[in-house]
Amino acid sequence: MKIEPDSSTMSSPLKALVEFLRLIYAKCYRKVVRECNQQMSFAIRRLLRAAMCVFSWFVMPYSQCVSSRIERRKLPPIDNPLLLLSATVLADRIRKGEVRSEDVVRAYVHRCQQVNPLLNAIVEDRFEAALEEAREIDRLLAKGALGTVEELARTKPLLGLPVSIKESLAVEGMSNTAGRLLAEKKVALSDAPVVRQIKRAGAIVLLVSNTPELCLCWETYNQCTGLTRNPYNLQRTAGGSSGGEAALISSAGSLMGVTTDIAGSSRLPAMFTGVFGHKPSPYVVSPYGHHPSCDDENWGSFFTPGAMTRYAEDLPLLLEAMRDPDGAPVTLDKPVPLGAVKCYYMENDGPSGLTRPIDPDIVHAIRDVAAHLNAQRVNLKRLRWTLDISVCKMLRMKNVETIYSPQANGKPDTTIKRELFRYLLGMSKSDLPSVMIGPMQHIVNNYIPQSRLDFLDSQTEKLRKDFIDLLGTDGVFIYPGFPNTAHRHYRIFHKLVDTTYMMVFNTVGLPAASCMVGFDREKLPIGVQIVAAPGQDHLIFAVAKELERRFGGWVPPS
């Protein structure tokens, strides 16, 4: 039994000595814990670096072989001027009767039929139903049955506009398998809350787009729909997990899309395809109605539906329609004088010792953006922990739906050992990320010391506070999204740790957007991240519009 000294019977000098010894012990203990954590991080980084290097020996030849088999064709040029107008402009013209909704929807249907054979981005379409809905809207507008132009701008801001939806979000009557190869196709029985919101705003759902299996990869391929390709170069990836949306929007096959973001899933595809992808502040948009699902109480602070558009001015328009009426408060249309926005930037993640060097073309782009915005260079040292805190937080989420989750009978369809064995024999019905999520969860939840997890949780909160203190209500942070532009298919597997440039903002709960700012030497789009404090999404939109004005924004792939 441990005996504590009774402070009530001790003399003052003895009390002081005991207190002094306690302080020394606490300080030494904290130092030991800190040293142990740093040594563990050093060891983990070296191990991961070695693993990524070895993995690349297998991935690179396979990637080269797959990519070289894809014919290097260019997309057909955009032949309908309606496809070059922003959603903001089209919505205004439809309300005023200057453009028919049917003509807009038909233009996008035709464009999808042109580009999808090359991109492979559509899982299921509803073209005929969308055209009928557009004709009905035109009839009602012609009768004046929907209200005045001003009323419609306020109550139905997306009236008559076609919108595409990531297939992992439930759209009633549409495929909702999230890329899984199932005995029976999973069909959504009702709309996800965010889908209901955009329908209430007058949008017409055009299609559901491709995702990796269970949205567990930063490239978009699965055993159901196959591989989605980049409009700028079919031999390159469109990113993931919202790669289907990005490929269609960039190629003018979709006007704008509803995506999701749990670890950069909206921002990386936008970056690789030259459009704008926004991860909102947590709980601005309802996180429910998604497959895979999760009932962890922190799910909504890590995962959120997002917005993807070709034009910066359409981001607030779409997000306003998507937002949850009972969600977190946020101002989206507040005018922001750009001179009043304080800008900060970093060119990399500091001394992390893990991520690959940022490509020189991306570094130059960040410096050009920083110079244009008169941004101040900063050094947030806790960004060195981004891999540790992000991976550990994500893999500790409780009851995330995977291939190992219990089914209706209470039992999983497979086990970790069985699925690993099947995958090694080439017999698994699942892709590598879906197979590996189980072992990774098991390692984090059973083999990482609690003291280590407590340390990382404290670093998460401190990093969040660092950002909030720096940005306040009038600041943005400019940061890389990934070390390179769109790479060849499947090369993400030896670059997994580089995704922490995006994942960290899910971990600390900050809004972030990928903004198109030019092209690299291989004529592939370059994007940078713009980050703000929670609830300050409007600052990101203001900066995105300015970057679009200064650097040109989206350029048609053809």
Side-chain angles (χ1 to χ4, degrees):
M1 183 175 67
K2 188 176 179 181
I3 300 176
E4 295 286 348
D6 185 358
S7 60
S8 63
T9 62
M10 287 191 291
S11 63
S12 295
L14 186 56
K15 279 184 181 179
L17 178 61
V18 169
E19 187 61 29
F20 175 74
L21 291 174
R22 281 178 176 170
L23 290 172
I24 292 295
Y25 171 78
K27 186 174 181 179
C28 291
Y29 176 77
R30 285 196 297 269
K31 185 176 181 181
V32 168
V33 171
R34 185 167 59 250
E35 289 294 331
C36 288
N37 277 305
Q38 288 176 351
Q39 291 299 322
M40 187 180 293
S41 290
F42 180 82
I44 291 172
R45 278 166 166 71
R46 289 295 176 266
L47 181 63
L48 282 172
R49 259 193 176 175
M52 293 297 105
C53 180
V54 171
F55 204 19
S56 70
W57 299 343
F58 300 92
V59 172
M60 294 287 278
Y62 179 73
S63 167
Q64 189 72 28
C65 179
V66 170
S67 298
S68 62
R69 291 206 305 262
I70 299 172
E71 186 180 357
R72 290 200 63 174
R73 295 173 59 188
K74 290 187 176 182
L75 298 187
I78 298 170
D79 55 9
N80 190 324
L82 289 176
L83 299 176
L84 297 174
L85 297 177
S86 71
T88 304
V89 170
L90 282 172
D92 183 63
R93 293 188 180 181
I94 288 172
R95 287 192 295 266
K96 292 177 178 176
E98 298 171 357
V99 172
R100 294 193 311 165
S101 173
E102 182 184 359
D103 293 338
V104 175
V105 172
R106 192 176 297 281
Y108 277 96
V109 168
H110 177 64
R111 183 62 177 171
C112 282
Q113 292 167 340
Q114 281 185 319
V115 301
N116 193 60
L118 298 174
L119 302 177
N120 191 39
I122 299 174
V123 176
E124 187 177 7
D125 69 69
R126 56 186 306 275
F127 292 158
E128 289 305 318
L131 285 166
E132 182 53 44
E133 290 172 17
R135 285 189 283 267
E136 179 62 19
I137 287 172
D138 289 333
R139 284 194 290 267
L140 293 173
L141 282 171
K143 293 179 181 179
L146 296 177
T148 66
V149 171
E150 293 76 16
E151 289 171 343
L152 290 174
R154 186 176 64 257
T155 61
K156 293 189 177 296
L158 304 185
L159 184 66
L161 298 181
V163 176
S164 51
I165 311 287
K166 188 175 180 178
E167 195 256 0
S168 56
L169 284 163
V171 178
E172 184 177 358
M174 301 289 285
S175 175
N176 189 217
T177 64
R180 287 199 70 182
L181 189 62
L182 302 173
E184 289 187 28
K185 183 176 78 171
K186 186 176 186 289
V187 175
L189 301 179
S190 60
D191 290 330
V194 64
V195 176
R196 286 200 299 269
Q197 285 301 113
I198 66 161
K199 285 184 176 180
R200 286 173 187 162
I204 298 171
V205 176
L206 194 62
L207 56 89
V208 289
S209 61
N210 203 23
T211 77
E213 185 179 25
L214 294 176
C215 302
L216 287 174
C217 188
W218 289 272
E219 291 192 22
T220 299
Y221 72 96
N222 57 59
Q223 296 188 39
C224 298
T225 308
L227 179 72
T228 294
R229 296 176 278 273
N230 192 307
Y232 288 92
N233 183 334
L234 301 181
Q235 295 182 338
R236 305 290 177 127
T237 180
S241 59
S242 304
E245 282 301 308
L248 287 169
I249 292 168
S250 175
S251 62
S254 174
L255 176 60
M256 51 187 174
V258 180
T259 63
T260 63
D261 197 308
I262 190 173
S265 303
S266 181
R267 287 161 285 155
L268 185 67
M271 201 171 301
F272 280 0
T273 60
V275 295
F276 295 86
H278 180 63
K279 180 195 89 68
S281 296
Y283 294 106
V284 168
V285 182
S286 171
Y288 305 111
H290 184 262
H291 174 58
S293 61
C294 176
D295 59 11
D296 191 288
E297 61 182 4
N298 295 314
W299 177 245
S301 19
F302 207 90
F303 165 86
T304 180
M308 190 179 289
T309 65
R310 263 176 287 148
Y311 301 102
E313 69 174 348
D314 293 340
L315 284 176
L317 174 74
L318 179 55
L319 188 56
E320 181 64 47
M322 292 168 55
R323 65 185 294 184
D324 184 353
D326 301 318
V330 64
T331 303
L332 300 177
D333 56 357
K334 181 179 179 181
V336 180
L338 200 64
V341 180
K342 297 175 183 176
C343 301
Y344 308 91
Y345 79 103
M346 284 178 63
E347 295 176 2
N348 53 49
D349 58 353
S352 75
L354 186 60
T355 54
R356 293 174 306 111
I358 304 295
D359 186 273
D361 288 344
I362 297 176
V363 173
H364 293 152
I366 290 173
R367 289 175 180 172
D368 287 345
V369 169
H372 179 67
L373 298 175
N374 196 26
Q376 175 186 343
R377 187 168 185 164
V378 294
N379 183 16
L380 297 172
K381 294 183 178 179
R382 286 194 180 88
L383 282 172
R384 66 180 298 185
W385 300 107
T386 52
L387 174 71
D388 312 62
I389 65 177
S390 299
V391 170
C392 284
K393 183 170 182 179
M394 184 169 68
L395 293 178
R396 286 156 63 202
M397 291 280 178
K398 297 176 183 177
N399 301 323
V400 178
E401 188 178 359
T402 69
I403 62 172
Y404 305 107
S405 298
Q407 303 302 305
N409 60 5
K411 297 180 181 180
D413 286 338
T414 188
T415 63
I416 292 175
K417 290 180 181 178
R418 186 189 307 162
E419 204 58 35
L420 281 171
F421 184 67
R422 284 177 178 170
Y423 189 82
L424 290 173
L425 293 179
M427 298 171 61
S428 177
K429 293 181 180 180
S430 293
D431 297 318
L432 181 60
S434 291
V435 173
M436 291 305 300
I437 190 71
M440 292 168 66
Q441 288 174 322
H442 182 74
I443 291 169
V444 168
N445 288 306
N446 293 279
Y447 294 105
I448 295 184
Q450 187 59 47
S451 61
R452 170 72 173 172
L453 296 176
D454 292 341
F455 171 77
L456 294 177
D457 287 342
S458 71
Q459 292 302 312
T460 301
E461 291 307 312
K462 289 175 182 178
L463 180 58
R464 175 180 167 84
K465 186 175 185 302
D466 289 345
F467 271 114
I468 291 175
D469 289 346
L470 175 70
L471 301 177
T473 58
D474 60 354
V476 298
F477 180 61
I478 303 156
Y479 197 52
F482 201 72
N484 56 258
T485 54
H487 47 248
R488 290 180 181 271
H489 298 289
Y490 301 110
R491 292 193 179 179
I492 192 64
F493 290 110
H494 65 278
K495 302 177 180 181
L496 289 174
V497 297
D498 297 326
T499 60
T500 55
Y501 276 103
M502 301 168 294
M503 198 188 307
V504 62
F505 300 114
N506 297 83
T507 306
V508 297
L510 303 184
S514 170
C515 300
M516 164 70 167
V517 292
F519 291 89
D520 70 358
R521 57 191 173 278
E522 296 186 67
K523 307 302 180 186
L524 294 167
I526 295 175
V528 300
Q529 286 189 102
I530 308 297
V531 184
Q536 307 303 317
D537 301 55
H538 63 287
L539 298 178
I540 295 175
F541 298 151
V543 172
K545 289 178 184 177
E546 175 59 21
L547 295 183
E548 181 182 49
R549 184 198 67 79
R550 168 62 181 81
F551 296 99
W554 170 76
V555 176
S558 58

